[in-house]
Amino acid sequence: MRKIEWNNYITQSLICAGLLTIGISTLSVSQNYSSTDAIEQQSTTINPQQLCSNIPAAKPVTRTELFFGLRKPNGTEVNNAEFQRFLDREVTPRFPDGFTVISGQGQFKDARGAILQERSKLLILLYPIAASSSQQIEQIRTAYIKAFQQQSVLRADNLSCAAF
């Protein structure tokens, strides 16, 4: 069994907000260790400018992926027209420079422990590092949860380099 813990939520929040110097100071990964095993904490500091220094014309950006399940609680699915309206109303006004949507098949374990599979959409956003962008993404997640009665929208963030 593998467990990942963020021991300092503030540090995680700052990463999602995309500050220029990101410190990941308290990420710990633990497995079923015996009592004599030590769980070490890792400390990493990433400078976005250095990250992209070897890629011609690249600039540091935040990459956020949002995973949208399409199954509604009543058994129907969010159809393509509904999802497009959601993109037009919630995503495009917040990220008018562009984004990518990929259709997929997802799987997750629900609160009861049952494995569920459903069609899904993956939204990929690349944007300049800015704290306000994180707030906009949270607004998108909240709007989807409310509009389609979802339990959650998975969010994954990381620092990337992009050259256009």
Side-chain angles (χ1 to χ4, degrees):
M1 181 166 137
R2 192 171 173 118
K3 183 178 178 184
I4 298 176
E5 297 177 2
W6 285 100
N7 294 327
N8 183 338
Y9 182 75
I10 294 171
T11 301
Q12 173 64 11
S13 298
L14 295 177
I15 294 167
C16 291
L19 298 178
L20 286 177
T21 301
I22 299 172
I24 305 171
S25 59
T26 57
L27 172 65
S28 66
V29 178
S30 62
Q31 297 180 0
N32 290 332
Y33 294 100
S34 69
S35 59
T36 58
D37 290 327
I39 300 172
E40 296 182 36
Q41 293 188 346
Q42 298 176 347
S43 179
T44 306
T45 301
I46 301 169
N47 179 329
Q49 298 303 329
Q50 288 177 330
L51 178 70
C52 301
S53 64
N54 293 329
I55 303 170
K59 295 186 184 207
V61 296
T62 302
R63 177 185 172 125
T64 297
E65 296 176 349
L66 296 178
F67 297 78
F68 299 97
L70 299 179
R71 182 183 299 145
K72 297 178 189 177
N74 66 7
T76 65
E77 282 193 349
V78 177
N79 63 41
N80 288 337
E82 289 173 313
F83 194 79
Q84 186 60 54
R85 278 192 300 276
F86 175 79
L87 292 174
D88 294 344
R89 290 181 186 153
E90 302 294 340
V91 180
T92 300
R94 291 179 174 93
F95 294 93
D97 290 340
F99 51 84
T100 298
V101 176
I102 300 171
S103 295
Q105 182 69 27
Q107 177 174 303
F108 67 99
K109 188 184 290 189
D110 72 5
R112 297 178 318 232
I115 301 292
L116 301 175
Q117 296 179 345
E118 67 180 321
R119 288 185 340 104
S120 60
K121 298 282 187 179
L122 170 61
L123 173 67
I124 302 170
L125 299 161
L126 296 172
Y127 51 92
I129 299 169
S132 62
S133 297
S134 185
Q135 294 168 345
Q136 292 174 322
I137 290 166
E138 287 307 305
Q139 291 166 353
I140 292 168
R141 292 176 71 205
T142 299
Y144 191 81
I145 290 167
K146 184 177 177 183
F148 302 110
Q149 302 83 43
Q150 300 294 298
Q151 290 181 3
S152 66
V153 171
L154 175 63
R155 174 181 178 172
D157 293 278
N158 57 54
L159 191 58
S160 293
C161 297
F164 295 94

